[in-house]
Amino acid sequence: MNKIYEKTIRALFFKFDPEKGHEIVKKFARFPIPTFCRDTTELNVRIKNYKLRNPVGLAAGFDKDAKMISLLSSLGFGYLVIGSVLKQESMGNPKPRIVRYENEQSMVNSMGLPSVGIDKFVKNYLDSIIRTDIFISIAGNTLKEFIDIYKIVKKLTPFIELNLSCPNTENGMLFQDADNFETLAENVSKLKDGIIFVKVSPVINRKDAENLITIVELCKKFNIDGITAVNALPVKEKSISVGYGGLSGKKIFNFMLNTINLIKEYSNDKLILNACGGIFNSEDAFKALILGASTVQVYTSLIYKGPCITCEIKKGINVLLKKNGFKNLEEVIGYKSKLSNK
Ligand SMILES: Cc1cc2nc3c(=O)[nH]c(=O)nc-3n(C[C@H](O)[C@H](O)[C@H](O)COP(=O)(O)O)c2cc1C
């Protein structure tokens, strides 16, 4: 199925500017389609008091304005991360702001968080036909913006992801600094309903690692439920208007695994982890799950491999469960650390 996608739809879309293809899909995405990709109970995942039907999520950024939920929720995902949404409407960075590295199945984007703003986002959300669980990703330039949006979106879904790690806006990584994050976590936790995740950047050096360890401690202290790791990796890129952006896809897979490993080591099993970054198949997903991720999220692989990727990953995980003697996904999650604790 992937080969057909690659030779037809992808071949056509890749002739256009990367954003053009996305705009075309958006026009047709207001309606659901029949779901052919069924779920099995072995792949159910517990997130505190909630149950996701499977662990494969769509990462934030694909449907920033909640315009494609009806179509996307027909594709077999266990959940969709919608957003990141900002309080006010924002144009994002000037174009061109996406470049593909086709041979490396990676890309760099410097979208700069374009958003219709929270009011239109809520309207789009309420107009959607929703057939799977929804996480809403929110971003803010100030503490007040984060708090104002949080108060609104927590009424829509129990699952909220705070985007601390946008690599391509001026203030996109402000709240990943441990001191700023402490203020954010303390304030959000006072208003908390449901589940809160924070989304972090990949760890590249020792300083990043130390900062992330502090974030992990603060999450535990302020009752933040989990971490999504990772956002795109900051890089320089001349062919993008602003000259820099975030790298995603295969090239960041190992950064993602290392970051998940580090968080797992310091979380004392108190945080739920979502692995995101360069996941292209069930083997990739399994590596992250066995390290301790409860779910996996995809974005760039959806562009390169098409909508069948969800089904392929789910089917492949089921095969890997059987092959490795696991009864269900719950037995797999964090298996590696359970082994080393024996
Ligand atoms: C075009 C584009 C836009 C993105 N926008 C967002 C966003 O709004 N919020 C966010 O948290 N992550 C955003 N991301 C990052 C992805 O959610 C994901 O963390 C990253 O691409 C790594 O996963 P992948 O290798 O599967 O693509 C964006 C990524 C891309 C490629």
Side-chain angles (χ1 to χ4, degrees), residues 147-267:
I147 296 298
D148 288 350
I149 309 175
Y150 181 70
K151 284 182 190 159
I152 298 170
V153 292
K154 73 174 186 173
K155 295 182 197 142
L156 301 177
T157 172
F159 305 104
I160 307 298
E161 191 175 272
L162 310 180
N163 180 3
L164 309 180
S165 48
C166 177
N168 49 50
T169 59
E170 204 184 325
N171 296 324
M173 291 164 90
L174 202 65
F175 288 95
Q176 199 171 238
D177 169 78
D179 289 340
N180 295 333
F181 177 64
E182 179 159 19
T183 319
L184 176 64
E186 188 176 4
N187 281 279
V188 170
S189 70
K190 287 182 195 150
L191 302 165
K192 185 170 180 263
D193 273 339
I195 306 291
I196 299 182
F197 295 101
V198 297
K199 181 157 178 193
V200 297
S201 299
V203 165
I204 310 171
N205 54 38
R206 206 187 162 127
K207 197 167 152 241
D208 295 339
E210 284 167 5
N211 190 63
L212 183 57
I213 293 166
T214 313
I215 288 184
V216 169
E217 295 306 330
L218 290 168
C219 285
K220 288 190 279 182
K221 180 173 169 190
F222 290 111
N223 196 20
I224 302 293
D225 302 280
I227 299 187
T228 300
V230 294
N231 211 317
L233 179 92
V235 288
K236 293 207 166 78
E237 171 54 63
K238 281 192 199 125
S239 56
I240 276 180
S241 66
V242 290
Y244 59 87
L247 177 67
S248 63
K250 279 211 186 264
K251 280 170 87 90
I252 67 166
F253 179 69
N254 285 331
F255 288 100
M256 179 277 287
L257 285 184
N258 291 340
T259 309
I260 289 285
N261 218 0
L262 182 73
I263 300 169
K264 183 71 186 168
E265 190 183 338
Y266 286 88
S267 70

Side-chain angles (χ1 to χ4, degrees), residues 22 58-62 64 81 83-85 97-98 105 107-111 113-114 137 139 161-168 199-200 228-233 246-250 252-253 276-280 297-303:
H22 204 82
L58 174 70
F62 193 89
K64 290 174 183 291
V81 189
S84 302
V85 59
R97 46 190 188 180
I98 298 184
Q105 301 201 61
M107 57 203 248
V108 175
N109 90 84
S110 192
M111 299 295 287
L113 292 179
S137 165
E161 191 175 272
L162 310 180
N163 180 3
L164 309 180
S165 48
C166 177
N168 49 50
K199 181 157 178 193
V200 297
T228 300
V230 294
N231 211 317
L233 179 92
L247 177 67
S248 63
K250 279 211 186 264
I252 67 166
F253 179 69
C276 178
I279 293 171
F280 271 67
Q297 299 179 3
V298 297
Y299 187 143
T300 304
S301 54
L302 180 64
I303 307 288

